Amino acid sequence: MKVKLAGLELTNPLIAASGTFGYGVEFEEIVSLERIGGFVTKGISLQPIAGHPPPRILQTAAGMLNAIGLQNIGVDEFIARKLPQLARYPKCKVIVNVFGYTVAEYIEVIRRLNQASGISAYELNVSCPNVHAGGMTFGSDAGSLEYLVGQAKAIAARPLIVKLSPNVTSIAHMAQVAASAGADAVSLVNTFLAMSIDSETRKPRLSNVTGGLSGPAIKPIALRMVYETARSVKIPILGMGGIVTPEDAVEFLLAGATAVQVGTASYADPRAVERLARGLESWCRSHQVEKVSSLTAALEVPRA
Ligand SMILES: Cc1cc2nc3c(=O)[nH]c(=O)nc-3n(C[C@H](O)[C@H](O)[C@H](O)COP(=O)(O)O)c2cc1C
């Protein structure tokens, strides 16, 4: 079940996605942190962020809408309080999701994280749809993305994964830009910019008006984006968007992902990532797949 990506060796390809798994420690009593491929922290910024007021989470027909506004404790608190607790799980791969309002902030967060131990990689969040500056602004403009990734790569002491926004015309092109600027891997997709309206009150249901859509509703689009990206870049892909079953994970691997992340599913079942890790192993056994890595980009497209 092992997979290698961007210099990391993961126990299996199942990773808990950013923003849906806290700082990992909150899950230590319900998930065996060393039995999953790893987890990505909530987006960490230079200063603590309070986030948007509620309502900021909504259930939708086949998923959820969120506009958390990147609530987090800030990099110093993360290093002082959360990272030391994770040292109890030395085999667990901790990927830190990094966020900034400016390039200088992204760089300063990475510089501080570089000094800390117990981190396996950075995931640069250039794709948050719920903040007015930073985030998606970087991920939806090729020039800004190239500059940010180049600067981050120059200072990062660990592998640099760039998390791409699906709210662009061509995510494959943005992946190429990230790769040529030095990204070691790309993860996709973040949430799709969306909204919900209450017809009775004539008001938006989220305090931020718009939010990000995730869960099974986005899976077919996310899968297509992973497929297109895999044909455009050579660096590994961490695929995600609506994964709930082991078969969903297999589909992302076949489309070209080396590993997958699971987000919204953890809201319905906090054990989802571990359950999926076991489920994927059973799937491989029952389908005579000796190495899960052989599934990556093994999609058979019929010739016309
Ligand atoms: C409540 C919530 C908070 C999120 N926060 C972050 C975040 O801080 N940084 C980030 O890169 N992605 C964040 N995401 C996006 C997820 O990591 C993931 O890319 C997205 O939800 C698609 O996967 P899923 O359909 O399995 O949830 C968040 C998603 C949700 C639902």
Side-chain angles (χ1 to χ4, degrees):
M1 293 302 287
K2 285 193 179 134
V3 292
K4 287 187 183 160
L5 83 128
L8 306 180
E9 189 176 275
L10 310 180
T11 314
N12 61 62
L14 265 299
I15 298 172
S18 178
T20 63
F21 209 72
Y23 304 102
V25 274
E26 298 83 353
F27 280 75
E28 67 183 343
E29 281 169 20
I30 38 178
V31 172
S32 301
L33 293 176
E34 294 185 321
R35 293 220 179 122
I36 59 176
F39 76 90
V40 188
T41 66
K42 175 68 189 165
I44 306 279
S45 51
L46 190 54
Q47 304 297 337
I49 299 178
H52 296 310
R56 52 189 198 171
I57 282 187
L58 283 180
Q59 188 166 334
T60 63
M64 68 187 272
L65 265 178
N66 90 82
I68 304 293
L70 280 162
Q71 176 182 2
N72 79 98
I73 57 177
V75 65
D76 293 337
E77 184 83 353
F78 171 71
I79 293 171
R81 278 202 20 240
K82 301 293 180 181
L83 263 183
Q85 298 186 59
L86 290 165
R88 292 198 288 269
Y89 309 99
K91 287 199 215 131
C92 177
K93 296 280 184 296
V94 180
I95 301 172
V96 179
N97 187 276
V98 174
F99 172 78
Y101 289 112
T102 61
V103 173
E105 280 188 20
Y106 276 100
I107 299 308
E108 183 56 23
V109 174
I110 295 175
R111 202 186 59 75
R112 293 190 193 184
L113 291 170
N114 279 344
Q115 317 296 319
S117 54
I119 300 170
S120 296
Y122 303 134
E123 182 178 72
L124 208 59
N125 178 5
V126 293
S127 44
C128 181
N130 300 324
V131 283
H132 298 298
M136 205 172 87
T137 330
F138 289 106
S140 51
D141 177 79
S144 308
L145 181 66
E146 185 179 24
Y147 182 69
L148 173 62
V149 174
Q151 296 288 307
K153 178 65 185 172
I155 189 179
R158 297 177 170 115
L160 185 71
I161 303 165
V162 177
K163 180 150 177 195
L164 297 172
S165 170
N167 301 301
V168 293
T169 309
S170 170
I171 199 166
H173 174 64
M174 299 310 265
Q176 284 171 346
V177 170
S180 64
D184 296 301
V186 281
S187 50
L188 57 143
V189 294
N190 207 317
T191 55
F192 287 79
L193 200 51
M195 71 187 291
S196 174
I197 294 174
D198 183 334
S199 56
E200 290 303 318
T201 62
R202 302 188 177 197
K203 290 191 172 119
R205 285 201 171 93
L206 288 170
S207 72
N208 188 52
V209 183
T210 57
L213 181 66
S214 60
I218 69 170
K219 196 191 103 184
I221 318 178
L223 209 48
R224 185 266 297 172
M225 290 182 162
V226 167
Y227 172 67
E228 285 179 357
T229 302
R231 301 203 308 173
S232 308
V233 294
K234 293 204 169 71
I235 54 174
I237 297 172
L238 295 98
M240 79 200 88
I243 296 176
V244 178
T245 65
E247 288 77 11
D248 293 334
V250 172
E251 290 174 35
F252 274 86
L253 298 174
L254 292 174
T258 298
V260 295
Q261 294 188 18
V262 177
T264 301
S266 290
Y267 276 78
D269 169 12
R271 292 193 174 89
V273 190
E274 194 179 344
R275 172 177 55 73
L276 282 164
R278 276 199 314 271
L280 182 60
E281 189 170 352
S282 305
W283 190 94
C284 287
R285 265 208 199 96
S286 63
H287 290 76
Q288 287 82 46
V289 172
E290 280 184 24
K291 288 187 178 173
V292 72
S293 56
S294 69
L295 293 173
T296 295
L299 183 72
E300 295 175 14
V301 182
R303 288 185 194 279

